[in-house]
Amino acid sequence: ETLHNTSALLDAENPALLRPVCEVEISVHIPDQFIEQLERVGSVGGGPVVIGYSAVMQCGLLRLLWDVDDNSVSIEKYEIEYEVVPVSLQQDLFQGPSTVVCSGQGFAYYMDALFPGYTYSFRMRSGITSGWGLWTKPFSGTFDDFPCAISFTSRIVQIRIPDSGYYRITAKGAKAADGRHRRGGRGAIISAVFALQRGDMLDILCGGMSRCQLLHSGGGGGTFVSVNTRQLEGLLLVAGGGGGTRGWDDDPHGCDASLEPDGTMVKSAQCAAGGKNGAPGSDALYSGPSWGHGGAGYLESSTTAQSFVEGGGAGECGGFGGGGGVGFH
C-alpha cells in the first residue's frame, strides 16, 4: 500500500492554516500473516475487552462467566469459540472448533452441545454495531462426567452422548407454589433406561416452580427430555408439574401431577379437564375471566403457556416448562 507523509508549516498571517510544503510516497508491504492476525483480534472500534472470564460447573452444566472493561458501552452480542482439549494425539475429538453467538444482555452463558467428561478450550469477544472486539486468551473448563444432575436454568439446554450404551434418565416435575391457605401440587418423578448412541443430542427442559399471587398460585413447570428432535418421535420422558391452587379456605389443595400420559382433574365444580395425548389442559372458566388456566402439553400450547416443542414458556405466575397461569379471582 502507499502512504502519504505530508509535513506542513504554520502560516504567520493565519495560524489556523496548515500549508503542505512537501509530499513523500512510501511503499509498505503488509504480510498475509499480519492481515490474518488483524482479522482474529477484531475490527477497530469494536466491542470492549472481555475480562474476568472463567468456565465453572453450575446447575449440572458448564457455564461461562465474564465481565467487560467498559460497562458504559451497549454490547449487542458475544461470540464464543470452543473445542475439546485432546488428552492424546489419538483421541477422537468428536467435533472441531465451533462457535456460538449469544445476546449481549448478560455476563453468563450455559454452554450447549458439550460431551460430559471432557475438557474444553474457550475464547470469546464482544460485539457492538461497529464490529467485534479483541479475542480473550484461551481458557479452559471441564464438563463433569456422568452422572449429570441438571437443574433449573430457565431455558432448554443440550448435552451430547459421548459413548453408545444404556443410560438411566430420571425427570422430576416442579412443585406448584403454595397459595395463602392451600398447598400447591407436587411434580411427578419418572425414570427409565434408554439405549443411546455416541453423538446423540439430548434436549432437556427442567421445570421451574410457580409463584403465588395474592391468594393463588400458578401451575408448576414440567420437565422434558428428548433425543435429536423435540418432536414426538424424539420423546424420552415427561414429568408433569404440580397443579396450582386458588388458595381460599374452601378450595382444594393443588393436584399432584399425573403419573399417566393424561393429566388429572381435581374433584371440584370449578376445575377443568387435564390435557390428553400431548394436548394442553383446559381453562377453568367460572365467574369471570378464569379461575385458573390449563398447563401446556408436550406438543400443543395452552391459552397462557407454551409446549415443550414451542419453548416451554409459562403462564402468569406459572413455572417454566408450560406451567398454567394463575386465575384472576
mmCIF file of all heavy atoms in Angstrom, residues 68-93:
data_model
loop_
_atom_site.group_PDB
_atom_site.id
_atom_site.type_symbol
_atom_site.label_atom_id
_atom_site.label_comp_id
_atom_site.label_asym_id
_atom_site.label_seq_id
_atom_site.Cartn_x
_atom_site.Cartn_y
_atom_site.Cartn_z
ATOM 1 N N VAL A 68 -16.712 -7.046 31.387
ATOM 2 C CA VAL A 68 -16.053 -6.256 30.342
ATOM 3 C C VAL A 68 -15.366 -5.064 30.984
ATOM 4 O O VAL A 68 -15.726 -4.644 32.091
ATOM 5 C CB VAL A 68 -17.043 -5.790 29.258
ATOM 6 C CG1 VAL A 68 -17.577 -6.963 28.468
ATOM 7 C CG2 VAL A 68 -18.186 -4.996 29.870
ATOM 8 N N ASP A 69 -14.373 -4.510 30.290
ATOM 9 C CA ASP A 69 -13.600 -3.412 30.870
ATOM 10 C C ASP A 69 -14.284 -2.055 30.713
ATOM 11 O O ASP A 69 -13.776 -1.042 31.189
ATOM 12 C CB ASP A 69 -12.189 -3.362 30.265
ATOM 13 C CG ASP A 69 -12.194 -2.999 28.788
ATOM 14 O OD1 ASP A 69 -13.287 -2.964 28.184
ATOM 15 O OD2 ASP A 69 -11.105 -2.765 28.230
ATOM 16 N N ASP A 70 -15.435 -2.002 30.038
ATOM 17 C CA ASP A 70 -16.181 -0.742 29.893
ATOM 18 C C ASP A 70 -17.673 -1.058 29.911
ATOM 19 O O ASP A 70 -18.263 -1.428 28.896
ATOM 20 C CB ASP A 70 -15.792 -0.048 28.591
ATOM 21 C CG ASP A 70 -16.436 1.340 28.463
ATOM 22 O OD1 ASP A 70 -17.234 1.699 29.343
ATOM 23 O OD2 ASP A 70 -16.125 2.046 27.486
ATOM 24 N N ASN A 71 -18.299 -0.897 31.086
ATOM 25 C CA ASN A 71 -19.723 -1.233 31.236
ATOM 26 C C ASN A 71 -20.651 -0.163 30.688
ATOM 27 O O ASN A 71 -21.876 -0.336 30.709
ATOM 28 C CB ASN A 71 -20.048 -1.487 32.711
ATOM 29 C CG ASN A 71 -19.483 -2.804 33.197
ATOM 30 O OD1 ASN A 71 -19.838 -3.863 32.706
ATOM 31 N ND2 ASN A 71 -18.586 -2.743 34.179
ATOM 32 N N SER A 72 -20.110 0.956 30.224
ATOM 33 C CA SER A 72 -20.957 2.020 29.678
ATOM 34 C C SER A 72 -21.347 1.764 28.233
ATOM 35 O O SER A 72 -22.246 2.414 27.697
ATOM 36 C CB SER A 72 -20.224 3.373 29.764
ATOM 37 O OG SER A 72 -19.077 3.383 28.922
ATOM 38 N N VAL A 73 -20.674 0.803 27.576
ATOM 39 C CA VAL A 73 -20.947 0.500 26.174
ATOM 40 C C VAL A 73 -22.112 -0.488 26.074
ATOM 41 O O VAL A 73 -22.190 -1.456 26.823
ATOM 42 C CB VAL A 73 -19.690 -0.101 25.500
ATOM 43 C CG1 VAL A 73 -19.987 -0.455 24.051
ATOM 44 C CG2 VAL A 73 -18.534 0.884 25.580
ATOM 45 N N SER A 74 -23.024 -0.244 25.152
ATOM 46 C CA SER A 74 -24.161 -1.135 24.925
ATOM 47 C C SER A 74 -23.730 -2.288 24.012
ATOM 48 O O SER A 74 -23.634 -2.134 22.797
ATOM 49 C CB SER A 74 -25.317 -0.363 24.290
ATOM 50 O OG SER A 74 -26.416 -1.216 24.068
ATOM 51 N N ILE A 75 -23.471 -3.437 24.621
ATOM 52 C CA ILE A 75 -22.988 -4.601 23.867
ATOM 53 C C ILE A 75 -24.174 -5.356 23.281
ATOM 54 O O ILE A 75 -25.159 -5.630 23.972
ATOM 55 C CB ILE A 75 -22.157 -5.518 24.784
ATOM 56 C CG1 ILE A 75 -20.940 -4.757 25.321
ATOM 57 C CG2 ILE A 75 -21.711 -6.766 24.038
ATOM 58 C CD1 ILE A 75 -20.151 -5.506 26.357
ATOM 59 N N GLU A 76 -24.079 -5.679 22.000
ATOM 60 C CA GLU A 76 -25.164 -6.372 21.317
ATOM 61 C C GLU A 76 -25.064 -7.885 21.415
ATOM 62 O O GLU A 76 -26.083 -8.586 21.457
ATOM 63 C CB GLU A 76 -25.190 -5.956 19.838
ATOM 64 C CG GLU A 76 -25.469 -4.477 19.624
ATOM 65 C CD GLU A 76 -25.452 -4.100 18.157
ATOM 66 O OE1 GLU A 76 -25.102 -4.977 17.329
ATOM 67 O OE2 GLU A 76 -25.770 -2.944 17.842
ATOM 68 N N LYS A 77 -23.835 -8.414 21.433
ATOM 69 C CA LYS A 77 -23.679 -9.867 21.378
ATOM 70 C C LYS A 77 -22.264 -10.254 21.791
ATOM 71 O O LYS A 77 -21.364 -9.405 21.874
ATOM 72 C CB LYS A 77 -23.945 -10.369 19.955
ATOM 73 C CG LYS A 77 -23.086 -9.678 18.900
ATOM 74 C CD LYS A 77 -23.566 -9.969 17.495
ATOM 75 C CE LYS A 77 -22.775 -9.153 16.469
ATOM 76 N NZ LYS A 77 -23.242 -9.393 15.094
ATOM 77 N N TYR A 78 -22.105 -11.539 22.063
ATOM 78 C CA TYR A 78 -20.794 -12.129 22.332
ATOM 79 C C TYR A 78 -20.621 -13.336 21.418
ATOM 80 O O TYR A 78 -21.580 -14.057 21.135
ATOM 81 C CB TYR A 78 -20.686 -12.593 23.786
ATOM 82 C CG TYR A 78 -20.724 -11.483 24.805
ATOM 83 C CD1 TYR A 78 -21.925 -11.098 25.383
ATOM 84 C CD2 TYR A 78 -19.562 -10.826 25.197
ATOM 85 C CE1 TYR A 78 -21.971 -10.077 26.320
ATOM 86 C CE2 TYR A 78 -19.597 -9.809 26.138
ATOM 87 C CZ TYR A 78 -20.808 -9.437 26.684
ATOM 88 O OH TYR A 78 -20.854 -8.419 27.617
ATOM 89 N N GLU A 79 -19.400 -13.547 20.970
ATOM 90 C CA GLU A 79 -19.079 -14.749 20.202
ATOM 91 C C GLU A 79 -18.158 -15.621 21.035
ATOM 92 O O GLU A 79 -17.160 -15.138 21.576
ATOM 93 C CB GLU A 79 -18.409 -14.390 18.875
ATOM 94 C CG GLU A 79 -18.141 -15.624 18.010
ATOM 95 C CD GLU A 79 -17.555 -15.284 16.648
ATOM 96 O OE1 GLU A 79 -16.943 -14.200 16.514
ATOM 97 O OE2 GLU A 79 -17.711 -16.101 15.725
ATOM 98 N N ILE A 80 -18.518 -16.906 21.142
ATOM 99 C CA ILE A 80 -17.741 -17.861 21.926
ATOM 100 C C ILE A 80 -17.231 -18.947 20.979
ATOM 101 O O ILE A 80 -18.010 -19.559 20.240
ATOM 102 C CB ILE A 80 -18.597 -18.497 23.038
ATOM 103 C CG1 ILE A 80 -19.149 -17.419 23.976
ATOM 104 C CG2 ILE A 80 -17.785 -19.528 23.825
ATOM 105 C CD1 ILE A 80 -20.222 -17.925 24.911
ATOM 106 N N GLU A 81 -15.926 -19.179 20.990
ATOM 107 C CA GLU A 81 -15.326 -20.260 20.212
ATOM 108 C C GLU A 81 -14.866 -21.337 21.181
ATOM 109 O O GLU A 81 -14.262 -21.029 22.214
ATOM 110 C CB GLU A 81 -14.143 -19.734 19.396
ATOM 111 C CG GLU A 81 -13.503 -20.791 18.501
ATOM 112 C CD GLU A 81 -12.307 -20.244 17.740
ATOM 113 O OE1 GLU A 81 -11.187 -20.293 18.297
ATOM 114 O OE2 GLU A 81 -12.489 -19.761 16.620
ATOM 115 N N TYR A 82 -15.143 -22.596 20.869
ATOM 116 C CA TYR A 82 -14.794 -23.673 21.802
ATOM 117 C C TYR A 82 -14.448 -24.951 21.045
ATOM 118 O O TYR A 82 -14.906 -25.174 19.927
ATOM 119 C CB TYR A 82 -15.954 -23.936 22.772
ATOM 120 C CG TYR A 82 -17.240 -24.381 22.112
ATOM 121 C CD1 TYR A 82 -17.592 -25.727 22.056
ATOM 122 C CD2 TYR A 82 -18.111 -23.454 21.536
ATOM 123 C CE1 TYR A 82 -18.765 -26.139 21.454
ATOM 124 C CE2 TYR A 82 -19.291 -23.850 20.932
ATOM 125 C CZ TYR A 82 -19.611 -25.191 20.894
ATOM 126 O OH TYR A 82 -20.784 -25.598 20.293
ATOM 127 N N GLU A 83 -13.633 -25.796 21.693
ATOM 128 C CA GLU A 83 -13.286 -27.103 21.141
ATOM 129 C C GLU A 83 -12.761 -27.995 22.259
ATOM 130 O O GLU A 83 -12.328 -27.522 23.325
ATOM 131 C CB GLU A 83 -12.253 -26.981 20.037
ATOM 132 C CG GLU A 83 -10.919 -26.400 20.467
ATOM 133 C CD GLU A 83 -9.939 -26.294 19.297
ATOM 134 O OE1 GLU A 83 -10.002 -27.156 18.415
ATOM 135 O OE2 GLU A 83 -9.146 -25.350 19.289
ATOM 136 N N VAL A 84 -12.817 -29.301 22.029
ATOM 137 C CA VAL A 84 -12.328 -30.276 23.006
ATOM 138 C C VAL A 84 -10.810 -30.153 23.123
ATOM 139 O O VAL A 84 -10.104 -29.991 22.127
ATOM 140 C CB VAL A 84 -12.712 -31.704 22.586
ATOM 141 C CG1 VAL A 84 -12.046 -32.738 23.487
ATOM 142 C CG2 VAL A 84 -14.220 -31.883 22.618
ATOM 143 N N VAL A 85 -10.310 -30.221 24.348
ATOM 144 C CA VAL A 85 -8.862 -30.269 24.586
ATOM 145 C C VAL A 85 -8.435 -31.739 24.527
ATOM 146 O O VAL A 85 -8.864 -32.550 25.351
ATOM 147 C CB VAL A 85 -8.493 -29.668 25.956
ATOM 148 C CG1 VAL A 85 -6.999 -29.822 26.215
ATOM 149 C CG2 VAL A 85 -8.895 -28.203 26.019
ATOM 150 N N PRO A 86 -7.600 -32.122 23.555
ATOM 151 C CA PRO A 86 -7.228 -33.547 23.436
ATOM 152 C C PRO A 86 -6.301 -33.977 24.563
ATOM 153 O O PRO A 86 -5.457 -33.232 25.011
ATOM 154 C CB PRO A 86 -6.514 -33.601 22.077
ATOM 155 C CG PRO A 86 -5.986 -32.221 21.872
ATOM 156 C CD PRO A 86 -6.967 -31.291 22.523
ATOM 157 N N VAL A 87 -6.507 -35.225 25.022
ATOM 158 C CA VAL A 87 -5.592 -35.778 26.017
ATOM 159 C C VAL A 87 -4.445 -36.518 25.371
ATOM 160 O O VAL A 87 -3.418 -36.723 25.981
ATOM 161 C CB VAL A 87 -6.320 -36.731 26.967
ATOM 162 C CG1 VAL A 87 -6.298 -36.237 28.349
ATOM 163 C CG2 VAL A 87 -7.685 -37.073 26.584
ATOM 164 N N SER A 88 -4.639 -36.914 24.136
ATOM 165 C CA SER A 88 -3.580 -37.595 23.386
ATOM 166 C C SER A 88 -3.808 -37.340 21.904
ATOM 167 O O SER A 88 -4.889 -36.926 21.479
ATOM 168 C CB SER A 88 -3.592 -39.109 23.662
ATOM 169 O OG SER A 88 -4.741 -39.694 23.099
ATOM 170 N N LEU A 89 -2.786 -37.623 21.105
ATOM 171 C CA LEU A 89 -2.909 -37.414 19.668
ATOM 172 C C LEU A 89 -3.906 -38.374 19.039
ATOM 173 O O LEU A 89 -4.442 -38.131 17.963
ATOM 174 C CB LEU A 89 -1.539 -37.575 18.997
ATOM 175 C CG LEU A 89 -0.478 -36.539 19.381
ATOM 176 C CD1 LEU A 89 0.838 -36.859 18.689
ATOM 177 C CD2 LEU A 89 -0.949 -35.135 18.994
ATOM 178 N N GLN A 90 -4.167 -39.505 19.720
ATOM 179 C CA GLN A 90 -5.086 -40.500 19.172
ATOM 180 C C GLN A 90 -6.533 -40.271 19.596
ATOM 181 O O GLN A 90 -7.428 -40.976 19.158
ATOM 182 C CB GLN A 90 -4.663 -41.913 19.627
ATOM 183 C CG GLN A 90 -3.357 -42.402 19.005
ATOM 184 C CD GLN A 90 -2.136 -41.752 19.622
ATOM 185 O OE1 GLN A 90 -2.127 -41.457 20.812
ATOM 186 N NE2 GLN A 90 -1.124 -41.505 18.808
ATOM 187 N N GLN A 91 -6.785 -39.266 20.437
ATOM 188 C CA GLN A 91 -8.141 -39.084 20.952
ATOM 189 C C GLN A 91 -9.101 -38.660 19.848
ATOM 190 O O GLN A 91 -8.793 -37.837 19.003
ATOM 191 C CB GLN A 91 -8.159 -38.009 22.043
ATOM 192 C CG GLN A 91 -9.556 -37.784 22.629
ATOM 193 C CD GLN A 91 -9.555 -36.686 23.676
ATOM 194 O OE1 GLN A 91 -8.516 -36.217 24.089
ATOM 195 N NE2 GLN A 91 -10.734 -36.283 24.100
ATOM 196 N N ASP A 92 -10.273 -39.279 19.853
ATOM 197 C CA ASP A 92 -11.346 -38.877 18.953
ATOM 198 C C ASP A 92 -11.964 -37.599 19.509
ATOM 199 O O ASP A 92 -12.571 -37.604 20.576
ATOM 200 C CB ASP A 92 -12.395 -39.992 18.888
ATOM 201 C CG ASP A 92 -13.519 -39.670 17.921
ATOM 202 O OD1 ASP A 92 -13.554 -38.533 17.423
ATOM 203 O OD2 ASP A 92 -14.345 -40.560 17.682
ATOM 204 N N LEU A 93 -11.815 -36.497 18.799
ATOM 205 C CA LEU A 93 -12.268 -35.199 19.313
ATOM 206 C C LEU A 93 -13.753 -34.955 19.105
ATOM 207 O O LEU A 93 -14.276 -33.955 19.599
ATOM 208 C CB LEU A 93 -11.479 -34.059 18.635
ATOM 209 C CG LEU A 93 -9.962 -34.105 18.821
ATOM 210 C CD1 LEU A 93 -9.327 -32.892 18.176
ATOM 211 C CD2 LEU A 93 -9.613 -34.159 20.295
#
